[in-house]
Amino acid sequence: MTIDFTKREQDLLHIVAQSAESLHIEAFAVGGFVRDKLLKRNCKDIDIVCVGSGIELAKKVAETIQPKPHVAYFKNFGTAQIRLDDIELEFVGARKESYRRDSRKPIVEDGTIEDDQNRRDFTINALAIHLSAKKFGTLVDPFNGLDDLKNGIIRTPLNPSITFDDDPLRMLRAIRFATQLNFKIETNTFNAIEPLSNRLKIISQERITDELNKIILSKKPSIGFKLLFNAKLLHVFFPEMVKLHGVAVQDNYGHKDNFYHTLKVLDNLSEKSNDLWLRWAAILHDIAKPATQRFEEGHGWTFHGHEVVGARWVPKIFSRFKLPLDDKMKFVQKMVALHLRPISLTKENITDSAIRRIIFDADDDLESLLLLCEADITSKNEAKVKRYKENLKLVLQRIKEVEERDHIRNWQPPISGDLIMSTFNITPSKPVGIIKDAIKDAILDGQIKNEFDAAYQLMLKKGMELGLSTTNKSTHE
Ligand code: CTP
C-alpha cells in the first residue's frame, strides 16, 4: 500500500513540516487522513499531531500560507483549525488521556506520539506519518495498522474493553467503519462490545444518530444493522427495531422475520437510491408490525393497519433520534403510510380511480414510493418475486397513462375552502372539509368532471345535505 499525496496535500504537508522544524518540534499526519490516503478514499481534513503545542504550530503554519488564513482556536481542547477553501487542517498536541466513567470528556495531559497513538480507537486510525525533514513520509505504525488495513480488520490498539470504556461511541464507530469499508471486526474487539453496550447511554443522541446515519448511507447498510443487533447495541437505542426480530408460530402458521425483511428492503433500496430519508422510510415501513400483529384462526398472521400506526410513530421516533421534524419527517411519514398502496393495486382490478388516488396522494413523491415498493418485494419464492415485479410494472404503466390523460399530479381541486366558506357564509369548520373531500373524491372517482361548474354544483348539493344555505352575494351564476 502506497500513499499518493496530491500536489496540494504535499505542499501543505511541507509547510507544516517547515513550521514544525522552525519551532523545533516533531509533527505527524495521523488518523483518518492517513487511513483514507492508504485506502485511496477521498478526504477533506488533514489531522496533524505535534509533540508540543498544536496551537503554536497552527499559528506558524497560517503565517506561511498566502493569503494568510484565519485560525480557529479551541483553547479548552488545545486544538486549532485552519479552514482553507478545499481542505481543513486540524492541529493538536500529542496527548495522554484518561477518562472518567460518567463522561466521554477526557482528562488530558501532554504526551509522546506513542501516547497519542495508544489512545486512538482502532489500529487503522492510529497510523501516523512523519513530517520532520529527515523522516518525511515514513509511517509510524506501532500496532500493525497497515496489516489490518490490508486485511480489512477493525481492531482496537489496546485491550478493547479499555478503549470502548474510555469512549463508548467507539463501539458504534467500529460497526460504522466495518459497514462503510466492508471490514471485519476482530473477534475480541467485537466480543468486548456487548458487556459494555449500556455504556452507550452516556453518549449524546446526536452523536449516536450521526454514526447511525453513516451506517444507513453505506453501500450495504444491513451489515451494520446485523452487527448492531448481534452486539446488543440496537437494543439500547432502537428497541422498536429489535422487536421486528423473530417469528411467531401458531397452528403451523409462521410469518416472515420482519427484522431481516426490513434489512433486505433497505439493501434493495440502497442499490437504487442514496436518499437518506427514503432509506429511513425503508427502515420504518414495517415498524408497527409487532404492535398490530394478530392471529386469525384458519387464516394465519395479520398486521392490519401497521402502515397507519407506523406513520403515527414516525414523529416520536424522529424526535427521539434528534432527526429533523420538518418536511423530511413528513416525507418519511408519507412513505410509511402509503407503502402498501401500489402493491395492493396489483391484487385487484386496477381501476382508473385507484390510480388517480395514488397519484394524488403520493404527488411529487410518487417515484420514491415506487422505489420503496419495489424494494419491499423480498419473497424467497423467485416466481412470486417475478410476479409481483411484473404487476408493479403494470401499475407503473397505468400510472403513466392516467397521468398523461388526467394530470392529477400537483392538481388542486377546482373549489377552494374560501369559496365554500363565502358561499355558505360559514367560518372554518368541519363542513368545509367534508365538502372539499366530497368534491375531491367525486373527481378522483370519475363521478364528475374535473372542472369548476360540475364541482360547484356538487358543492351546493353537499351543502344542502349538510343543512347549509347559500348567501346571495356569492351564488354562482
Ligand atoms: N478518534 C478516536 N476515538 C473517537 C473518535 C476519533 O480515537 N471516538 C480518533 C481516530 O484516530 C480518528 C481521529 O480521531 O481517526 C479523527 O476522528 P474523526 O475525524 O471523528 O474520524 P475519522 O477517523 O477521520 O473518520 P470519519 O471522518 O469517517 O468520521
Side-chain angles (χ1 to χ4, degrees):
M1 272 175 155
T2 51
I3 296 195
D4 302 314
F5 293 122
T6 62
K7 169 88 175 52
R8 173 81 168 139
E9 286 162 352
Q10 198 139 31
D11 290 348
L12 287 170
L13 291 176
H14 276 293
I15 290 177
V16 175
Q18 281 158 9
S19 305
E21 196 96 352
S22 70
L23 293 172
H24 307 293
I25 57 177
E26 279 193 306
F28 303 81
V30 284
F33 173 71
V34 180
R35 176 199 69 218
D36 287 342
K37 282 310 306 179
L38 284 161
L39 288 174
K40 316 240 176 285
R41 291 171 93 216
N42 263 348
C43 36
K44 16 171 220 354
D45 314 340
I46 305 182
D47 289 326
I48 308 288
V49 165
C50 62
V51 185
S53 161
I55 290 181
E56 289 308 312
L57 180 58
K59 274 188 197 162
K60 195 84 193 164
V61 168
E63 282 165 16
T64 321
I65 297 177
Q66 288 306 328
K68 191 178 169 203
H70 170 73
V71 186
Y73 303 104
F74 305 94
K75 288 227 168 72
N76 290 347
F77 298 98
T79 62
Q81 187 191 58
I82 299 178
R83 197 176 283 177
L84 303 170
D85 288 344
D86 51 341
I87 211 161
E88 250 174 63
L89 300 171
E90 302 263 356
F91 297 84
V92 65
R95 303 189 282 198
K96 205 189 236 175
E97 281 176 2
S98 56
Y99 291 76
R100 293 180 294 253
R101 276 199 64 80
D102 55 347
S103 163
R104 67 184 289 275
K105 295 203 180 63
I107 302 158
V108 182
E109 282 172 55
D110 290 345
T112 62
I113 182 70
E114 289 78 24
D115 292 331
D116 196 277
Q117 285 173 302
N118 270 329
R119 72 174 181 95
R120 289 183 179 264
D121 52 3
F122 306 114
T123 58
I124 61 165
N125 288 344
L127 290 154
I129 296 174
H130 249 291
L131 296 181
S132 59
K134 279 190 205 133
K135 300 182 191 163
F136 191 91
T138 324
L139 207 59
V140 187
D141 180 16
F143 308 109
N144 297 322
L146 193 60
D147 283 343
D148 284 347
L149 211 53
K150 279 183 198 151
N151 298 323
I153 290 174
I154 307 289
R155 181 199 320 261
T156 52
L158 306 176
N159 176 336
S161 303
I162 296 173
T163 303
F164 291 147
D165 198 43
D166 280 350
D167 178 1
L169 184 72
R170 291 168 169 170
M171 300 188 282
L172 276 187
R173 282 172 60 90
I175 292 177
R176 188 257 289 186
F177 284 120
T179 316
Q180 279 183 328
L181 304 175
N182 199 12
F183 277 24
K184 292 272 168 291
I185 303 177
E186 176 266 335
T187 310
N188 283 332
T189 301
F190 187 76
N191 288 343
I193 298 180
E194 188 180 334
L196 291 169
S197 55
N198 270 314
R199 294 270 293 140
L200 205 60
K201 289 185 179 151
I202 66 160
I203 302 294
S204 75
Q205 184 60 50
E206 286 83 349
R207 284 170 170 272
I208 293 178
T209 300
D210 202 38
E211 291 299 327
L212 187 65
N213 280 343
K214 287 182 180 169
I215 291 173
I216 295 172
L217 282 173
S218 304
K219 197 161 168 237
K220 196 172 176 201
S222 65
I223 298 175
F225 278 98
K226 285 178 191 165
L227 290 169
L228 289 172
F229 180 84
N230 291 337
K232 300 236 172 19
L233 286 175
L234 203 61
H235 304 56
V236 180
F237 66 88
F238 207 167
E240 296 91 339
M241 201 166 172
V242 174
K243 282 211 178 108
L244 292 172
H245 189 269
V247 178
V249 180
Q250 193 167 327
D251 303 348
N252 279 330
Y253 286 107
H255 57 79
K256 47 179 145 180
D257 183 308
N258 289 308
F259 180 71
Y260 295 109
H261 163 71
T262 294
L263 295 187
K264 183 79 187 119
V265 177
L266 180 59
D267 281 352
N268 285 348
L269 180 81
S270 303
E271 283 175 18
K272 299 274 170 76
S273 165
N274 290 325
D275 179 353
L276 176 65
W277 308 110
L278 190 55
R279 291 186 181 199
W280 263 103
I283 293 166
L284 296 178
H285 80 288
D286 277 348
I287 199 74
K289 270 195 166 174
T292 53
Q293 179 168 346
R294 302 279 176 274
F295 185 76
E296 282 178 16
E297 233 156 276
H299 182 71
W301 296 99
T302 66
F303 305 90
H304 292 309
H306 73 272
E307 72 285 12
V308 181
V309 179
R312 217 181 290 142
W313 286 3
V314 171
K316 140 183 125 174
I317 293 174
F318 262 50
S319 157
R320 203 179 72 225
F321 276 95
K322 304 262 189 275
L323 288 166
L325 298 174
D326 55 11
D327 314 352
K328 283 147 188 135
M329 187 273 284
K330 297 222 172 78
F331 165 77
V332 174
Q333 211 172 15
K334 182 168 164 187
M335 291 298 106
V336 174
L338 295 179
H339 80 269
L340 294 175
R341 288 273 292 280
I343 287 287
S344 73
L345 285 180
T346 63
K347 288 189 181 149
E348 49 193 70
N349 270 340
I350 316 173
T351 60
D352 279 4
S353 92
I355 297 280
R356 278 196 292 267
R357 270 182 188 283
I358 191 70
I359 300 175
F360 180 78
D361 290 340
D363 208 20
D364 281 342
D365 301 316
L366 188 61
E367 275 81 17
S368 301
L369 180 64
L370 292 168
L371 280 179
L372 177 60
C373 286
E374 194 184 352
D376 197 10
I377 303 173
T378 67
S379 169
K380 282 201 190 86
N381 180 337
E382 291 283 332
K384 228 172 162 178
V385 170
K386 198 163 163 253
R387 199 171 66 237
Y388 273 127
K389 286 201 170 163
E390 275 165 9
N391 282 345
L392 200 61
K393 250 196 214 146
L394 205 77
V395 174
L396 215 83
Q397 182 56 31
R398 290 293 306 280
I399 286 177
K400 232 176 122 207
E401 285 164 18
V402 172
E403 178 55 20
E404 268 166 23
R405 195 186 63 215
D406 296 348
H407 307 293
I408 297 297
R409 251 170 152 182
N410 299 315
W411 169 74
Q412 287 296 328
I415 300 285
S416 69
D418 282 346
L419 183 60
I420 298 171
M421 289 191 282
S422 65
T423 305
F424 297 110
N425 196 20
I426 54 174
T427 49
S429 51
K430 212 167 161 194
V432 182
I434 297 176
I435 296 173
K436 265 186 95 170
D437 280 349
I439 294 169
K440 181 193 85 189
D441 289 346
I443 294 174
L444 292 177
D445 289 343
Q447 288 160 2
I448 63 168
K449 282 203 167 146
N450 179 16
E451 56 187 33
F452 183 83
D453 285 342
Y456 193 85
Q457 291 310 320
L458 183 63
M459 171 186 74
L460 294 180
K461 183 164 164 267
K462 280 282 153 197
M464 261 163 58
E465 282 171 21
L466 292 168
L468 302 174
S469 53
T470 54
T471 58
N472 288 338
K473 186 171 108 269
S474 58
T475 304
H476 180 66
E477 299 298 330

